[in-house]
């Protein structure tokens, strides 16, 4: 499901919370294990307002609610940076506003699960012949443990890979 609100002007905090809460209310998260996949602090968005609305809208209905900070290959954020980014302090128990927060460990093989491979032929075709190898596809284990995954964040042009955010979080 894609929920869009594009008024052609900046969206103020109250409007943002209202539109988000309305869209989130339509999601089938009741009694399910929900994982929020959040951008790290290198992405520009009003994350404290968004995170607060997500927690208020989803936590009372979900069986459980957790969040995974999509670092890509960026360095982990400090606990203080996570708290600033989400708008609430990160406790020593790794929870923020009652939600367990984990950071993607892209360089820890035990945090990843191989879900398939992109075959040599497809890689060759997609790369216009520049690559000729099979590429393993791995995702964070937390994604497979969830019953409902919600990708949160902006999509921006990226100087190296075309775009950041959106489905690229996977």
């Amino acid at each position: 499901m894609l929920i869009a609100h594009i008024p052609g002007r900046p969206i103020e905090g109250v409007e943002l919370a209202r539109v988000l809460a309305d869209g989130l209310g339509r999601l089938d998260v009741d009694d399910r294990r929900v994982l929020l996949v959040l951008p790290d602090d290198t992405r520009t968005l009003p994350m404290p307002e968004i995170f607060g609305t997500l927690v208020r809208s989803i936590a009372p209905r979900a069986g459980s609610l957790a969040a995974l900070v999509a670092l890509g290959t960026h360095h982990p954020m400090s606990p203080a940076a996570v708290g600033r980014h989400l708008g609430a302090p990160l406790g020593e128990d790794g929870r923020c506003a009652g939600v367990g927060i984990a950071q993607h460990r892209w360089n820890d093989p035990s945090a990843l699960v191989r879900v398939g491979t992109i075959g040599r032929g497809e890689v060759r075709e997609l790369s216009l012949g520049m690559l000729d190898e099979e590429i393993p596809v791995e995702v964070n284990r937390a994604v497979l443990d969830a019953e409902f995954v919600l990708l949160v964040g902006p999509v921006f042009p990226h100087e190296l890979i075309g775009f950041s955010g959106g489905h690229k979080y996977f």
Side-chain angles (χ1 to χ4, degrees), residues 106-155:
W106 57 271
N107 58 351
D108 178 358
S110 71
L112 306 173
V113 176
R114 182 171 291 180
V115 294
T117 57
I118 303 173
R120 290 177 79 145
E122 187 173 356
V123 170
R124 192 173 33 254
E125 181 181 332
L126 291 170
S127 69
L128 303 175
M130 294 171 50
L131 296 173
D132 186 26
E133 60 189 88
E134 201 173 74
I135 297 179
V137 178
E138 298 176 328
V139 298
N140 191 290
R141 190 173 301 280
V143 171
L144 298 182
D145 290 340
E147 294 174 295
F148 191 99
V149 178
L150 180 62
L151 300 176
V152 179
V155 176

Side-chain angles (χ1 to χ4, degrees), residues 36-135:
L36 306 173
V37 179
L38 309 173
D40 66 10
D41 60 356
T42 65
R43 301 297 174 248
T44 305
L45 73 161
M47 196 69 237
E49 291 85 357
I50 292 171
F51 183 70
T53 302
L54 289 165
V55 172
R56 287 188 301 277
S57 298
I58 295 175
R61 298 186 299 139
S64 66
L65 179 61
L68 177 66
V69 179
L71 295 172
T73 57
H74 298 162
H75 292 289
M77 297 168 62
S78 71
V82 171
R84 281 191 304 275
H85 184 54
L86 300 180
L90 183 67
E92 290 186 26
D93 62 353
R95 299 179 76 75
C96 182
V99 176
I101 309 293
Q103 296 187 63
H104 177 59
R105 296 175 312 194
W106 57 271
N107 58 351
D108 178 358
S110 71
L112 306 173
V113 176
R114 182 171 291 180
V115 294
T117 57
I118 303 173
R120 290 177 79 145
E122 187 173 356
V123 170
R124 192 173 33 254
E125 181 181 332
L126 291 170
S127 69
L128 303 175
M130 294 171 50
L131 296 173
D132 186 26
E133 60 189 88
E134 201 173 74
I135 297 179

